[in-house]
Amino acid sequence: MARDSWYRLDNVGRFYSAQAGHTAQTVFRIAADMTDEVDPDALQRALDQALEVFPGFNVTLRAGFFWHYLQQAEGTPCVQPEDLPPCSPMHADPRSVLIRVSYHAHRINVEVSHMVSDGRGTMELFKTLVGLYVRERYGACVELAPYAREEAHKTEDSFSENYERRASASTPKPKAYRIRGWREKAAPEYMEVHLSSSAVYAAAKGMGVGVTALLIAAIMCAVRDGMPARDRARGRAICVTVPVDLRRFFGSETLRNFFGLAYVSCAPGACDEALAAVAADVSRQLGAVTEPAALKKRMNRMVKLQRNAALRVAPVFLKDAVLGLAAAIAEREVTTTASNLGRVEMPRGTEPFVRSVVVLTSTTGIDFVMSTYGDDLSVGVSSVLVSNDIQRRFVRTFSALGADVAIDVNRSGEEVDAALRQEHMERVFLHHEDERGVGAGERFSSGGDAR
């Protein structure tokens, strides 16, 4: 991309551009834990080279009269020691670059605004950056997968390229249960749950379902077990949004946003079903809602909204208001979001130097992002809820299945200790339980940035 080039936001990027300048902005973080402390000079050299291959990430957001657009940033951003909470907002003014690379101790963090790309697209940049870093830091022979397509293919708006006006339809959804409880939107909690992927796979296979279905079912059961009786009586359903990568369905190689939304639900009754039964039902639903025809109908509906004649001629500030309202309405139609990026294949030659890979996203509720590297299945949980009851029940589900569990929380050691003491006191004095520690297989560690 030339220095003075610009391009239009894709369909999803336009929705997220309505967040520009606000404290609530959607940001992805992909982090790698390395075997040694990070060398910032080597990381900077790697970033310089990575952005030569992927210049479409090194952009700023600008506002035209009708739409926002992205423009190439001046120079390469500098890597920084981590001094902000995970997934902090990126856009403050027209000079704000929509990518952030930071480090702390053994960890490399890559953060990208959802205005620019989704998790799959960001993962391509992340893998290249880590591969180049290992090459710079250790002089290792690293095989980087070539991404030889022209910049126009990397930054293609695949929503528009595959839009068919006639093939659009809405998705009927039940009334969604909204998780209750105190919220701290100014300071979300970011938790990493690390599971043995082989143990989770074995458990899923034993139930006759896939790993994604089991993970979503565990989330549903964790939410269900905290639902008030009145919400059960009103027939509220636990509705989970599941982002689905559309590239494989449409043969796209874009690095920008290109995903569809699938929806699965569970309506708890007077008698709660076992985890295996919920997982089987989720698996059945996923099979139906991820059919290419169903995904295309929902994708076309998303594009159709922005092609509305009245909206197209409206000034950008009015579009932002309309899109912001649409996003708020959509948010109330779901209980939580669960995304599985699948197995992460790092460049060959980096394996001895990378211990784990974790993905997190900002949130206004509670969201789960799963990914697998080696035998580590990481679940990045982002939550504004003050209570972490859902996370605790989710973790104990897998402890009960025999999986080793490790937990990292982005709080200081003092805060974690205080929270555990409070939880212990509540169990002993409020619930009259005997004195026990955390659940079998659980291990708590802490750090300032979910390490």
Side-chain angles (χ1 to χ4, degrees):
M1 182 181 289
R3 288 292 178 194
D4 58 351
S5 64
W6 64 276
Y7 56 90
R8 296 180 180 87
L9 287 158
D10 58 69
N11 177 265
V12 169
R14 288 175 178 172
F15 273 98
Y16 289 115
S17 69
Q19 302 171 344
H22 296 274
T23 54
Q25 297 178 28
T26 306
V27 175
F28 276 105
R29 167 182 283 209
I30 306 180
D33 270 321
M34 312 301 290
T35 54
D36 299 311
E37 287 204 4
V38 175
D39 179 340
D41 293 331
L43 183 58
Q44 183 66 61
R45 294 193 299 272
L47 178 60
D48 293 343
Q49 296 172 56
L51 291 180
E52 287 294 325
V53 181
F54 302 109
F57 285 90
N58 187 23
V59 292
T60 60
L61 183 72
R62 299 299 176 95
F65 183 77
F66 291 108
W67 286 109
H68 294 285
Y69 63 95
L70 298 171
Q71 187 168 33
Q72 187 73 49
E74 291 293 334
T76 303
C78 296
V79 302
Q80 299 287 342
E82 186 173 24
D83 58 359
L84 292 171
C87 303
S88 292
M90 289 188 162
H91 182 273
D93 56 55
R95 295 168 297 179
S96 301
V97 180
L98 301 181
I99 179 174
R100 180 190 300 130
V101 177
S102 62
Y103 62 92
H104 177 87
H106 295 71
R107 175 161 289 201
I108 296 172
N109 307 302
V110 177
E111 295 176 315
V112 171
S113 169
H114 217 330
M115 302 177 203
V116 177
S117 184
D118 55 21
R120 292 284 185 184
T122 302
M123 185 64 75
E124 295 301 320
L125 169 68
F126 169 80
K127 292 192 294 186
T128 297
L129 174 66
V130 173
L132 289 168
Y133 170 76
V134 169
R135 184 184 289 175
E136 290 289 328
R137 173 78 162 82
Y138 301 100
C141 180
V142 176
E143 296 181 22
L144 295 175
Y147 205 96
R149 298 303 299 271
E150 296 178 357
E151 190 63 20
H153 292 283
K154 298 177 190 176
T155 58
E156 174 189 86
D157 180 358
S158 291
F159 288 107
S160 296
E161 290 294 323
N162 295 281
Y163 174 64
E164 293 181 22
R165 181 181 178 84
R166 295 181 180 179
S168 66
S170 60
T171 301
K173 295 186 287 292
K175 283 279 188 180
Y177 167 63
R178 296 282 294 166
I179 299 171
R180 301 176 184 276
W182 291 100
R183 298 175 179 237
E184 182 54 81
K185 292 187 176 181
E189 178 182 88
Y190 294 93
M191 176 183 291
E192 299 173 10
V193 179
H194 295 270
L195 308 169
S196 165
S197 65
S198 56
V200 175
Y201 174 80
K205 185 177 180 180
M207 297 178 189
V209 301
V211 168
T212 300
L214 174 57
L215 289 164
I216 293 174
I219 293 167
M220 286 179 164
C221 290
V223 173
R224 178 194 67 191
D225 292 346
M227 285 181 70
R230 61 180 177 275
D231 285 303
R232 290 170 177 260
R234 292 164 66 190
R236 298 284 183 176
I238 300 166
C239 297
V240 180
T241 302
V242 185
V244 179
D245 182 25
L246 295 178
R247 293 169 180 82
R248 60 192 178 97
F249 295 107
F250 296 98
S252 171
E253 296 189 18
T254 186
L255 297 179
R256 295 168 71 186
N257 293 294
F258 194 42
F259 63 92
L261 297 177
Y263 301 93
V264 295
S265 62
C266 169
C271 181
D272 293 335
E273 292 186 303
L275 175 66
V278 176
D281 186 53
V282 170
S283 180
R284 177 191 60 78
Q285 292 183 60
L286 284 174
V289 298
T290 57
E291 285 289 331
L295 288 169
K296 188 161 190 174
K297 287 179 180 179
R298 290 190 292 272
M299 180 199 78
N300 286 327
R301 183 170 175 80
M302 292 169 60
V303 180
K304 188 176 180 180
L305 171 63
Q306 293 186 11
R307 295 201 172 195
N308 178 279
L311 188 62
R312 291 182 70 176
V313 299
V316 67
F317 70 88
L318 185 56
K319 285 187 173 78
D320 285 349
V322 172
L323 295 177
L325 177 61
I329 293 172
E331 183 182 328
R332 297 195 64 82
E333 294 179 344
V334 299
T335 306
T336 184
T337 298
S339 177
N340 190 355
L341 294 180
R343 185 164 293 279
V344 179
E345 298 291 346
M346 296 297 291
R348 184 172 299 177
T350 62
E351 298 89 347
F353 309 100
V354 181
R355 295 189 300 194
S356 66
V357 174
V358 181
V359 186
L360 293 164
T361 183
S362 54
T363 185
T364 56
I366 181 169
D367 295 314
F368 299 78
V369 185
M370 288 80 78
S371 62
T372 302
Y373 176 72
D375 192 47
D376 177 44
L377 193 164
S378 68
V379 184
V381 188
S382 313
S383 176
V384 298
L385 299 168
V386 173
S387 168
N388 60 11
D389 287 347
I390 292 173
Q391 296 95 310
R392 185 169 64 249
R393 289 191 289 265
F394 175 80
V395 165
R396 289 179 176 172
T397 295
F398 291 98
S399 292
L401 291 173
D404 290 333
V405 183
I407 301 173
D408 290 338
V409 186
N410 70 311
R411 293 182 294 178
S412 68
E414 292 79 5
E415 289 175 312
V416 173
D417 289 342
L420 290 174
R421 286 196 300 272
Q422 176 70 22
E423 178 188 332
H424 174 75
M425 295 292 283
E426 288 177 354
R427 285 204 303 261
V428 173
F429 290 98
L430 297 181
H431 303 292
H432 308 289
E433 296 182 12
D434 57 357
E435 294 195 8
R436 291 175 294 180
V438 295
E442 297 177 42
R443 183 175 74 253
F444 285 85
S445 59
S446 64
D449 60 347
R451 300 180 252 292

